[in-house]
Amino acid sequence: MAVDADPKPTASASALRGFFDGDVWHSFRTSPVAMLAAFIASVCLVCALFAGVVAPHNPFDLATLDLMDSLKPPSWIEGGESRFVLGTDGQGRDILSALMYGTRISLLVGLASVLLSILIGVTLGLLAGFLGGRTDAFIMRICDVMLSFPSILVALMISGVGRSLFPHAPDALAFVVLVLAIALTGWVQYARTVRGSTLVERNKEYVQAARVIGVGPLRIMRRHVLPNVLGPVLVLATIQVASAIITEATLSFLGVGVPVTSPSLGTLIRNGNDTLFSGEWWITAWPSLTLVLITLSVNLLGDWLRDALNPRLR
């Protein structure tokens, strides 16, 4: 019995082969900056996701902390120890391990807030651009009002109100309030971007044809218009992740971010700032450098993605 030596490739395999043969992958392979940024972002992401495995210590296990290990400098400086590569803080916690666990929290808050911003902004932008009229005017006036206030002040207000209403809230609820505070200041950019793209798409032939055959407005927006306006959203989301992480770090630095029992990069920077002028520079320097590397790598990836998805910018 003859066996087909060349089986038909699956749809996923064909899509994967098409991606690696496409312009986006070629642009990535030929861009040293994009590859370096992707490498740094990947290392930070892996260390954050698998902090419990790759971290040399558990900085939040009180049973393993020893005050005799507090304020030790990095291992290459006199007085440092090899088991604490980047040094320790005032409680004897390993800075390297604290960075891995703190990065996990910062990335979680940043990604969750961006996803929520996308959900709100894309929905309202589609409605404003497709329906037009009073709906468009009402949503855009809300956007104008939101843009008239500095985003960090709005986030501070929302986070402060949430903490006042729920002073003894569990950590999970505090995270939800923080994500809402950041998301409610970031959805405007998505709404305005999607609205502009929808205004162009709604007058094209394929939308008119769908209307002629009796397709409902919601189905047209979801099945036809939405896939064609997601390109700019993807680029904007990549850049907004870095902005959300910085906002979370700022709120945590000011004491209205994540709970102190689950410190993020902003909390670590704030803790180190108290001892910065005492000579223990490493406590605040390493979290600050980690925050800079994460935001810089994500921003560089966003810039590359913008150019890769727009042939006129290549």
Side-chain angles (χ1 to χ4, degrees), residues 7 36 77 86 88 91 100 118 123 130 149 159 163 224 229 237 247 273 276 286 294 306 311:
L36 178 61
I77 298 178
L86 300 182
T88 61
Q91 300 179 9
M100 294 182 183
I118 292 174
T123 302
F130 192 83
F149 295 97
S159 182
R163 285 175 173 269
H224 301 284
V229 300
T247 303
N273 188 60
L276 180 61
W286 300 127
I294 292 175
R306 178 197 60 196

Side-chain angles (χ1 to χ4, degrees), residues 277-312:
F277 297 102
S278 301
E280 290 82 17
W281 54 268
W282 57 88
I283 301 178
T284 189
W286 300 127
S288 301
L289 180 61
T290 302
L291 181 63
V292 169
L293 286 176
I294 292 175
T295 54
L296 180 60
S297 61
V298 173
N299 279 328
L300 290 175
L301 281 176
D303 290 341
W304 161 78
L305 190 61
R306 178 197 60 196
D307 297 342
L309 294 179
N310 190 345
R312 291 176 295 181

Side-chain angles (χ1 to χ4, degrees), residues 180-240:
L180 284 174
I182 300 175
L184 292 179
T185 62
W187 66 268
V188 178
Q189 303 296 333
Y190 300 100
R192 292 169 69 94
T193 301
V194 172
R195 172 187 176 269
S197 300
T198 303
L199 288 174
V200 176
E201 295 295 328
R202 72 175 185 177
N203 294 320
K204 289 187 176 180
E205 290 79 2
Y206 71 93
V207 175
Q208 301 298 331
R211 285 173 171 168
V212 169
I213 63 176
V215 180
L218 291 178
R219 184 178 177 85
I220 293 176
M221 285 189 287
R222 181 172 56 88
R223 295 290 300 273
H224 301 284
V225 178
L226 179 60
N228 292 297
V229 300
L230 286 181
V233 171
L234 179 61
V235 176
L236 182 60
T238 305
I239 299 176
Q240 287 289 84

Side-chain angles (χ1 to χ4, degrees), residues 141-196:
R141 296 299 77 75
I142 295 178
C143 292
D144 293 337
V145 171
M146 293 295 296
L147 289 174
S148 64
F149 295 97
S151 59
I152 189 64
L153 292 183
V154 177
L156 275 171
M157 181 189 68
I158 297 173
S159 182
V161 171
R163 285 175 173 269
S164 300
L165 294 177
F166 308 100
H168 304 292
D171 290 353
L173 183 58
F175 278 110
V176 172
V177 172
L178 180 60
V179 170
L180 284 174
I182 300 175
L184 292 179
T185 62
W187 66 268
V188 178
Q189 303 296 333
Y190 300 100
R192 292 169 69 94
T193 301
V194 172
R195 172 187 176 269

